[in-house]
Amino acid sequence: NAGVMQNPRHLVRRRGQEARLRCSPVKGHSHVYWYRQLPEEGLKFMVYLQKENIIDESGMPKERFSAEFPKEGPSILRIQQVVRGDSAAYFCASSPLGGWGTEAFFGQGTRLTVV
Amino acid sequence: KNEVEQSPQNLTAQEGEFITINCSYSVGISALHWLQQHPGGGIVSLFMLSSGKKKHGRLIATINIQEKHSSLHITASHPRDSAVYICAVMANNDMRFGAGTRLTVKP
């Protein structure tokens, strides 16, 4: 599990502000996945990215949410104009190859609280 | 009905007991993962299975592809095993998760 770094670990935002969540994958991994875990609920897939490409964003809300994984630097999950319902734990995972047919390594998560 | 069902939802055991957590799924999958989530903490991937059985320390995971069922076993359970255990399957390039099993091991 070592190697996937997410920051910040905790993030508090007021309604209407923007939240930026960062994920640095394991060195050498080019596939990144974002998941959301709402309070008392299970994990939900949000988006799957490969370097500079969005492969599958079927789990992303259509508005206010975006994700990127640039050639250099971490993957960013961006939530614009946050609302209380966005309060959740957001987890990032990385893998060396695509899909879940390979080992996936998780970050510690970012806990977003919208006040 | 969820595509990935876990049972039990909650499990309390005494230290030293043998633990079994079950996962049934209704879709064709290419792989199944068992994840462990500690309270307030991150997630650790315990196993990735596509067939058969894997063992790591006191943890054993099995999968029966024909029956679409997997089990996670913990032998000689310990309070530090207390966590939520999540079954996740990869199906059609999509990841689906069970609701998790909350395990509490009492000393």
Side-chain angles (χ1 to χ4, degrees), chain A residues 15-97:
Chain A
R15 280 179 294 170
Q17 290 185 319
E18 178 180 286
R20 291 171 74 89
L21 288 62
R22 295 176 197 78
C23 169
S24 296
V26 172
K27 189 175 180 182
H29 287 190
S30 58
H31 300 261
V32 164
Y33 314 81
W34 284 94
Y35 305 95
R36 178 164 66 173
Q37 187 175 42
L38 292 167
E40 305 303 320
E41 293 189 21
L43 283 164
K44 302 286 184 194
F45 166 75
M46 297 184 75
V47 62
Y48 164 33
L49 308 112
Q50 203 175 348
K51 284 280 188 183
E52 300 185 275
N53 286 305
I54 296 174
I55 306 300
D56 181 353
E57 55 181 349
S58 57
M60 287 267 277
K62 293 287 185 283
E63 296 177 352
R64 301 187 298 107
F65 284 72
S66 62
E68 63 177 10
F69 188 17
K71 188 176 179 182
E72 301 291 337
S75 176
I76 305 286
L77 178 68
R78 184 179 174 209
I79 311 172
Q80 295 178 290
Q81 299 175 317
V82 296
V83 300
R84 288 228 170 97
D86 298 332
S87 295
Y90 293 83
F91 290 94
C92 164
S94 75
S95 68
L97 300 173

Side-chain angles (χ1 to χ4, degrees), chain A residues 1 9 33 35 37 40-45 48 56 58 89 91 99-109 111, chain B residues 30-33 35 37-38 40-48 54 86 88-90 93-95 97-99 102:
Chain A
N1 192 35
R9 288 290 307 276
Y33 314 81
Y35 305 95
Q37 187 175 42
E40 305 303 320
E41 293 189 21
L43 283 164
K44 302 286 184 194
F45 166 75
Y48 164 33
D56 181 353
S58 57
F91 290 94
W100 272 52
T102 59
E103 293 291 341
F105 297 84
F106 280 82
Q108 289 292 305
R111 276 145 188 88
Chain B
S30 54
L32 180 145
H33 294 249
L35 311 174
Q37 184 174 28
H38 281 273
I43 295 170
V44 175
S45 179
L46 298 173
F47 294 103
M48 188 272 293
K54 284 190 177 179
I86 302 167
V89 301
M90 176 68 178
N93 287 324
D94 192 12
M95 286 68 71
F97 297 88
R102 186 174 299 277

Side-chain angles (χ1 to χ4, degrees), chain B residues 29-104:
Chain B
I29 69 168
S30 54
L32 180 145
H33 294 249
W34 281 101
L35 311 174
Q36 180 191 51
Q37 184 174 28
H38 281 273
I43 295 170
V44 175
S45 179
L46 298 173
F47 294 103
M48 188 272 293
L49 295 159
S50 53
S51 65
K53 177 179 175 179
K54 284 190 177 179
K55 185 174 189 294
H56 185 243
R58 295 180 295 105
L59 301 176
I60 303 166
T62 63
I63 188 168
N64 184 318
I65 298 293
Q66 287 73 29
E67 294 186 4
K68 295 186 175 177
H69 181 268
S70 175
S71 292
L72 175 69
H73 305 285
I74 305 174
T75 61
S77 59
H78 191 276
R80 65 174 174 265
D81 297 325
S82 298
V84 175
Y85 293 83
I86 302 167
C87 171
V89 301
M90 176 68 178
N92 300 322
N93 287 324
D94 192 12
M95 286 68 71
R96 292 100 186 266
F97 297 88
T101 294
R102 186 174 299 277
L103 171 66
T104 303

